[in-house]
Amino acid sequence: MQNFDTVRTSGANAAAIDAGLRAYMSRVYGLMSVAMLITGVVAFVIGTNDALLYALFSGPQKYLVMFAPLIMVFAFGSMINKMSVATAQLVFWAFAAVMGASISFIFAVYTGMSIAQVFFATAIAFGSTSLYGYTTNRDLSGFGRFLMMGVIGLIVVSIINLFIGSTALQMATSSIGVLIFAGLTAYDTQRLKNDYLGMSQYGADAAMVGKSAIMGALSLYINFINMFMMMLSLFGNRE
């Protein structure tokens, strides 16, 4: 009788963890989706207004607009433990708005149809790699450091290319970048899954789980935005 109760309790716990994991990942994707919506609206509003575009990208301030998301994401990561879940979520929304301003120039460079086409292609690629990361039994943790080194390399090369303006170098970094961020999407998805399982095992409180979901949504959001921008650079039709 004791063994039966143990098995029944274990099965109930496993079912509860599985339900919690689904709710956690749904929250991650929900937060990411809202951030994408905010980014899209801000980018469209600014990108279709010549006066706003000129004000943001006509002078030295364009570098502040371009690098503001990078500065914000590092600051957010270092300060989130001191924030409440509600505050962290608001900062995430603010970051998404700043990102929208940063990429708003695409509406002046590429046709609206190609932006939409590349967005949906990116969504399919992102969804496929994220699903792979969630369902695979292969341990992807070993790829994390390698992929992050690739991201650092992309950032350095991209900054250099701002001053060089090499089309060939831009095409090369975009091609490699799509692969890197696709890999990061699978890696981050599996990491988030494992993070939740770890938190459920050690009884993490709701605040910790909430902040983890926000940071997870941020990671996946950044992967998506970078994949989109690099695919747009490769396949977008210019005005």
Side-chain angles (χ1 to χ4, degrees):
M1 184 67 178
Q2 185 176 2
N3 291 338
F4 174 77
D5 289 340
T6 301
V7 171
R8 182 175 61 185
T9 302
S10 176
N13 287 340
I17 290 173
D18 188 53
L21 175 61
R22 290 196 299 271
Y24 173 78
M25 294 304 296
S26 295
R27 183 175 183 182
V28 168
Y29 289 120
L31 289 165
M32 175 191 165
S33 298
V34 173
M36 291 298 304
L37 179 61
I38 292 172
T39 298
V41 170
V42 172
F44 179 79
V45 169
I46 296 176
T48 55
N49 186 305
D50 292 340
L52 288 176
L53 276 176
Y54 183 81
L56 291 179
F57 294 100
S58 62
Q61 67 272 19
K62 67 182 179 181
Y63 295 107
L64 177 60
V65 176
M66 292 168 62
F67 290 109
L70 186 63
I71 296 170
M72 281 190 70
V73 77
F74 282 118
F76 186 34
S78 64
M79 297 174 61
I80 188 170
N81 289 332
K82 300 178 182 178
M83 300 178 184
S84 66
V85 174
T87 300
Q89 187 167 303
L90 288 174
V91 173
F92 183 28
W93 299 156
F95 169 77
V98 171
M99 180 65 80
S102 179
I103 67 172
S104 59
F105 67 89
I106 65 174
F107 287 95
V109 176
Y110 300 97
T111 64
M113 180 61 69
S114 69
I115 291 173
Q117 290 173 339
V118 172
F119 178 85
F120 285 114
T122 305
I124 293 171
F126 176 89
S128 300
T129 52
S130 187
L131 180 63
Y132 172 77
Y134 186 82
T135 58
T136 185
N137 292 322
R138 183 178 181 181
D139 183 9
L140 303 179
S141 59
F143 293 97
R145 181 175 299 180
F146 171 77
L147 291 169
M148 288 308 301
M149 289 176 61
V151 171
I152 294 171
L154 284 175
I155 292 173
V156 172
V157 173
S158 297
I159 292 173
I160 293 173
N161 201 41
L162 285 176
F163 303 98
I164 297 177
S166 170
T167 302
L169 185 58
Q170 181 182 357
M171 296 291 285
T173 55
S174 295
S175 300
I176 297 171
V178 169
L179 297 177
I180 288 176
F181 285 104
L184 274 173
T185 298
Y187 165 79
D188 282 333
T189 303
Q190 186 180 82
R191 176 181 58 80
L192 289 170
K193 178 181 177 181
N194 291 335
D195 284 351
Y196 177 81
L197 295 176
M199 287 186 293
S200 64
Q201 180 180 356
Y202 292 104
D205 59 24
M208 180 178 293
V209 174
K211 292 178 184 180
S212 174
I214 292 170
M215 291 304 293
L218 176 63
S219 297
L220 294 179
Y221 166 89
I222 291 172
N223 293 341
F224 186 101
I225 289 293
N226 280 286
M227 286 179 64
F228 168 70
M229 293 299 292
M230 291 174 181
M231 288 182 68
L232 190 61
S233 176
L234 291 170
F235 306 114
N237 295 323
R238 292 179 177 268
E239 293 280 9

